[in-house]
Amino acid sequence: MSHGIDESQSTSQTEFGRVKALLERMGETLEDGEVPMQILNDDAVHQLELERIFGQTWVYVGHESEVPEPGDYRQRTIGEDPFIFVRGEDGDFRVLFNSCRHRGANVCRAEKGNTSHFRCPYHGWTYKNTGDLVGVPQKAAGFDHLDAEERGLHEAPHVEEYNGLVFACVAPEVEPLEEFLGGATWFLDMYFDLIDMEVIGDPHRWEVENDWKTPTENFYGDNYHIPMGHKSAIDAGVGSDTATGEKESNLYGIADCDGHGFSFYQIESEEDSYWGHPPEVVETFNHDALDDDQHEVARKSGVTLGTIFPNLSFIFLGGRDDPEKDSVGTFLLRKWEPRGAGKMEVVNWILAPKDASDEYKERVYEVGMSNFSPSGNFEVDDVGIWYGIDEAAGSVFARQNDDVNTLFTMGRGENPAATVYDEWVGPGTAYLEGGMTDENQLDFYRTWHEAMTSDGGM
Amino acid sequence: MSESVSNPTLRAECEEFLYHAAELLDDRKLTEWHDLVTEDIDYRVPIRTTRERSNTTEFSDTSFHMKEDWGTLEVRTERMQSDFAWSEDPPSRTRRHVSNVRIVDDDGEEVTLKNNLLIFRQQGDETDPDILSMERHDTLRRTDEGFKIAERRVLLDHTIIPTNTLSIIL
Ligand code: FES
Ligand SMILES: [Fe+2]
């Protein structure tokens, strides 16, 4: 029925026009530090961000320690698309599209494993773990015309690794990873070059009824929510030693850092902090990997957190899971995966210094899990304070009223507590009293908006 | 295995204990529930992954949704009852359905058993419940105050947890 097709085309055109107008309006509201709330739950916005953000930019797929041996693989998604993160028999990382070149079935059905080949269950086409097509049943009888070299599994055209973190980009053209990371490398070096990190076990995965942008904006540096949102955990004496008040700290919010955002709790003391790692663990670090300025920031770090655009966040904290036990340094890496408008899957990895003792790594895991995971004493209240954002954002009211915006104007008054810290030694602009500014969080929406309004050459 | 394994009286006793513990959790009597665990409790909820059939286990031995001892369970149960535990205020409405209790062993001091648990969970105006399904491998120790949970291994039927938060005890 051609009528139906015309109708759906015109609907999608109207939708596109609506989103275009919404993004235009957002261009203006951003200057005033406001963001239209409806972008947090809107099907058309969601579709467009899959294409213009997840289809265009570098996206994290996994850590090298998750696939240590040739043939090791993990299923991962880029946006909502299915990929296999695999270390080929040649030792190289690849990010293969999990879909048979014949009729599209998944060639890999397990979440993880080790294999020399992926064999499609439908007709039996077989691919090496490098993606090469090496087996087609009855090829001579039916597929003598087929050039196997042209029919290997599709793969992300760009796969690069930075200090063990593997990223992929599915667009034909993209800047080199290091250029994309920009100033973020200064921070990443502090974790992944100073320390040889490894992922412990398998990541937590859970489904949350909130848009992926809600935790992302939070991890760009919403330090304002901590006393209220996490009061139950802080009162219980768990979490970071800076949050419980066990240790005094200065908080720096880093804005203007090539589209990424960071926060630092610095413990100004002669005593080494290194995120709560004890001296015998600190001894195993690669202290020469950092310049003196970076090293001093690392030494004084109580908690550091941040987000690499679009959806990779981390929190590195010195803290505990029980007030009766000693603090350890635990590192959590999380990916906020879009799963339809207003919904996400959280993937959460816990990392520990590779050269630490097994007992210590176990404690790192316990403290990480206990604070940040589906059952985390901090994390559950994060999700608990976001209830209803999806509902309000998806409402007719939000669409009909231009002033249903979320607010990022903290620190824009006459006498803001947050001030630019001129002696900052790293990239970007540092705000002292960094919990009192929204500039770092606005960077997320500025970067998001820029990506959403450029057609990426399409 | 001792003779008591097929002892219906023992099974009934264990069932009664499990029902009581489930009722305390459903009624949000978390401190009273915590009193039912031994001081050396080992409580684990390992992460499950989708594996090929040929794999011997789908459960991780290094990564967990919960890995608790007496102290961390005390932290959790106290925190969940705080006026600032936003994930549980308003609280979840939960109903724990305990079934298929199978006695594995009884050495006189401790009974090991398996049971199935289905948790219905709803919050606020939700009409679609979150359903959590699992098998529990429990060790119940006989004490002066009756049975206590000395060990619990929760084997989830989920790889991706289908609920916003695990701010409830399994
Ligand atoms: S779809 Fe894979 S072999 Fe046919
Ligand atoms: Fe938080």
Side-chain angles (χ1 to χ4, degrees), chain A residues 111-112 202 204-209 228-229 231-232 325 362 365-366 369 374-375 377 380-381 387, chain B residues 47 49-51 62-65 67-69 71 76 79 82 84-87 123 160-161 163-164 166:
Chain A
E111 206 171 316
K112 64 167 188 177
D202 302 312
H204 299 105
R205 301 174 68 193
W206 75 108
E207 223 175 51
V208 174
E209 281 161 274
M228 176 74 180
K231 185 164 166 48
S232 73
K325 292 181 196 157
E362 204 174 328
Y365 189 87
E366 288 167 4
M369 174 211 72
S375 77
N377 283 313
V380 293
D381 282 346
Y387 286 162
Chain B
I47 289 179
T49 49
T50 306
R51 308 297 306 271
T62 50
S63 39
F64 305 87
H65 292 294
K67 178 169 180 271
E68 308 298 310
D69 59 20
R76 285 182 188 276
R79 192 198 63 75
S82 143
F84 304 96
W86 308 116
S87 57
Q123 228 172 347
I160 302 176
I161 304 296
T163 190
N164 280 314
L166 282 180

Side-chain angles (χ1 to χ4, degrees), chain B residues 73-139:
Chain B
L73 282 173
E74 186 184 41
V75 166
R76 285 182 188 276
T77 49
E78 274 181 12
R79 192 198 63 75
M80 286 172 190
Q81 297 177 84
S82 143
D83 286 343
F84 304 96
W86 308 116
S87 57
E88 287 299 321
D89 194 7
S92 306
R93 297 179 295 275
T94 60
R95 192 61 55 199
R96 289 169 175 75
H97 301 265
V98 182
S99 70
N100 304 56
V101 175
R102 290 145 284 161
I103 307 291
V104 176
D105 202 5
D106 180 5
D107 67 5
E109 197 189 329
E110 291 182 337
V111 183
T112 53
L113 57 88
K114 297 180 188 176
N115 62 98
N116 295 358
L117 176 65
L118 194 71
I119 306 183
F120 168 102
R121 178 192 192 193
Q122 251 185 4
Q123 228 172 347
D125 272 350
E126 269 181 357
T127 49
D128 289 337
D130 294 342
I131 302 282
L132 294 169
S133 171
M134 66 210 76
E135 181 178 65
R136 296 186 299 191
H137 294 189
D138 291 339
T139 301

Side-chain angles (χ1 to χ4, degrees), chain A residues 89-152:
Chain A
E89 62 181 25
D90 54 5
D92 289 347
F93 301 117
R94 285 180 187 77
V95 178
L96 305 171
F97 190 47
N98 188 8
S99 172
C100 181
R101 290 297 303 275
H102 180 220
R103 298 279 168 81
N106 282 155
V107 296
C108 173
R109 298 170 150 202
E111 206 171 316
K112 64 167 188 177
N114 179 286
T115 192
S116 58
H117 293 83
F118 296 106
R119 189 177 64 194
C120 178
Y122 196 167
H123 309 90
W125 285 26
T126 303
Y127 305 86
K128 280 211 288 202
N129 58 21
T130 54
D132 296 335
L133 175 64
V134 291
V136 174
Q138 302 178 63
K139 186 169 191 302
F143 277 108
D144 57 346
H145 57 288
L146 188 100
D147 181 356
E149 278 192 9
E150 285 177 3
R151 303 285 169 175

